[in-house]
Amino acid sequence: MKVAIIGGTGYGAVELLRLLHIHPYAEVKAIISHSNAGNSLTALYPHTDGFVEGTMETFDISVLKEKVDFAFFAAPPGVSRDLLPELAEAGIRCVDLAGDFRLKDPAVYKEWYKQDAASADLLDKAVYGLPELNGEEIAGAAFVANPGCYPTATLLGLLPAVHNGLIDPSSIIIDAKSGLSGAGKSLSAITHYSEINENVKAYKLGAHKHIPEIEQILAGVGGSQQAVTFSTQLVPMTRGILATIYADLKTDLSEAELLESYENYYHSHPFVRIRSQGEWPATKEVATSNFCDIGLHVDKRTNRLTIVSVIDNLVKGAAGQAIQNMNIMQGWEQTAGLWMLPVYP
């Protein structure tokens, strides 16, 4: 299958290139970059030398529909909102790695993203691309809204507990830490080396745009809309998200029984790995891979469940999950091009 990457110069796009290069059924035929059209990707990313040919292009639907069958949007919010309708009309299936189609309510999108939402018709057609939740819907979708990195780690940690009524959804507290690549390639004061080296910074407390995404999906799973407490921090590493999630238990199941319920929930999902009792995952144990590793702890003294969920923010949190969604949409095995050991140490 012939693939285009739209927004070809960010970290997510480069990670798509890395993974698609070893994909057995897909080949990148076009890289679209408005700001770098006519330039070689190798000039920006020398590590791609010998693997990426040609130059980046401007967006032209008349050219794209003759060259590709599938497209990934790895551009900032607002780009896919404007361009994806042209691809959909041309019959090109898409996965959007930005947030333009994740939120179903246009007013909520405008509140959190500070720009106008896509049309209500497109929002209705978009399928939320968390394979462990919406696999059947993804298979028949014309285009998929790839989840955010923080929501991926958080939701995979919470889905079994919320689905099975094991916790009180109104008590959920999420403490999530991310590496610097999650902030994107553009420089800001918070991402300078001298600011983040030997430092941990909280940011966007109560204001992160992934909050309504998490709440929307949990409401669909649990049956009622509940606000969550969501705190984010940047830590001095390149890749990885560790979400530590706390919630009040509504069951007297033991820790071993809770772990068994998680194993049962994810038994047919190859990229979620549940740790044994007394073991909790670390970000390095999933680095460069599409895995999400989860560990649980029951605090009998407070009757709370602690969930530790880790992903690579650029893979399961972005490019890898996008390819997993493409695989499902095309009827291929989910693991195609993605079944690899994490890089360790």
Side-chain angles (χ1 to χ4, degrees):
M1 189 176 69
K2 299 172 183 178
V3 172
I5 298 173
I6 300 169
T9 60
Y11 293 146
V14 173
E15 198 71 346
L16 280 168
L17 282 167
R18 180 178 74 87
L19 296 169
L20 288 168
H21 180 72
I22 61 170
H23 198 285
Y25 313 127
E27 182 180 3
V28 176
K29 288 295 187 180
I31 302 172
I32 309 301
S33 173
H34 175 75
S35 60
N36 285 280
N39 296 325
S40 165
L41 185 71
T42 303
L44 292 174
Y45 292 105
H47 73 284
T48 65
D49 189 18
F51 292 87
V52 179
E53 298 179 355
T55 59
M56 291 176 278
E57 309 169 27
T58 57
F59 181 89
D60 186 334
I61 188 60
S62 63
V63 173
L64 277 180
K65 68 182 182 181
E66 300 299 325
K67 292 179 67 173
V68 304
D69 314 298
F70 199 96
F72 294 98
F73 279 90
V79 175
S80 54
R81 174 199 62 196
D82 296 337
L83 299 184
L84 188 144
E86 295 185 53
L87 293 169
E89 187 175 341
I92 299 172
R93 302 175 89 184
C94 304
V95 174
D96 178 27
L97 279 73
D100 286 355
F101 300 98
R102 295 173 189 159
L103 301 178
K104 294 300 185 182
D105 187 334
V108 173
Y109 178 89
K110 188 168 185 178
E111 176 185 356
W112 291 86
Y113 282 77
K114 311 305 180 187
Q115 57 183 311
D116 291 334
S119 70
D121 179 59
L122 283 172
L123 293 176
D124 287 340
K125 291 178 181 177
V127 173
Y128 189 72
L130 191 64
E132 293 79 9
L133 178 65
N134 290 330
E136 291 185 7
E137 293 85 353
I138 292 167
F143 63 97
V144 165
N146 214 53
C149 51
Y150 279 126
T152 295
T154 299
L155 292 169
L156 290 176
L158 283 167
L159 285 179
V162 174
H163 174 79
N164 293 319
L166 303 176
I167 59 173
D168 177 2
S170 68
S171 71
I172 293 171
I173 298 172
I174 305 152
D175 178 15
K177 299 172 178 63
S178 175
L180 265 291
S181 60
K185 188 181 178 184
S186 299
L187 286 175
S188 65
I190 197 173
T191 60
H192 279 293
Y193 178 83
S194 57
E195 293 285 337
I196 197 62
N197 181 49
E198 298 183 16
N199 198 11
V200 179
K201 281 195 171 186
Y203 71 107
K204 293 185 179 179
L205 297 183
H208 200 289
K209 63 187 178 183
H210 287 161
I211 291 173
E213 181 180 342
I214 293 169
E215 292 177 348
Q216 174 182 275
I217 301 305
L218 291 179
V221 174
S224 64
Q225 185 76 39
Q226 302 287 346
V228 300
T229 298
F230 181 65
S231 299
T232 52
Q233 299 100 45
L234 287 176
V235 297
M237 64 183 185
T238 301
R239 291 172 175 262
I241 285 177
L242 185 147
T244 307
I245 307 162
Y246 310 92
D248 293 341
L249 282 164
K250 293 172 59 179
T251 177
D252 58 0
L253 291 178
S254 67
E255 190 170 283
E257 290 170 323
L258 287 167
L259 283 165
E260 184 179 3
S261 74
Y262 269 64
E263 290 278 8
N264 291 336
Y265 189 92
Y266 287 123
H267 78 278
S268 62
H269 299 287
F271 289 113
V272 179
R273 305 188 297 190
I274 308 301
R275 291 299 168 84
S276 299
Q277 189 171 2
E279 297 180 0
W280 304 283
T283 56
K284 192 173 281 287
E285 294 158 2
V286 296
T288 73
S289 82
N290 201 51
F291 289 110
C292 174
D293 287 6
I294 298 171
L296 305 179
H297 171 68
V298 173
D299 188 338
K300 294 183 179 178
R301 188 176 60 86
T302 60
N303 197 39
R304 286 197 192 101
L305 176 65
T306 300
I307 305 161
V308 180
S309 175
V310 299
I311 64 169
D312 184 313
N313 56 291
L314 291 178
V315 189
K316 184 58 171 169
Q321 185 152 249
I323 292 170
Q324 186 181 358
N325 280 317
M326 176 191 69
N327 290 340
I328 296 170
M329 294 166 78
Q330 294 301 120
W332 301 329
E333 59 271 24
Q334 290 189 41
T335 55
L338 297 170
W339 195 246
M340 62 190 77
L341 275 170
V343 171
Y344 193 95

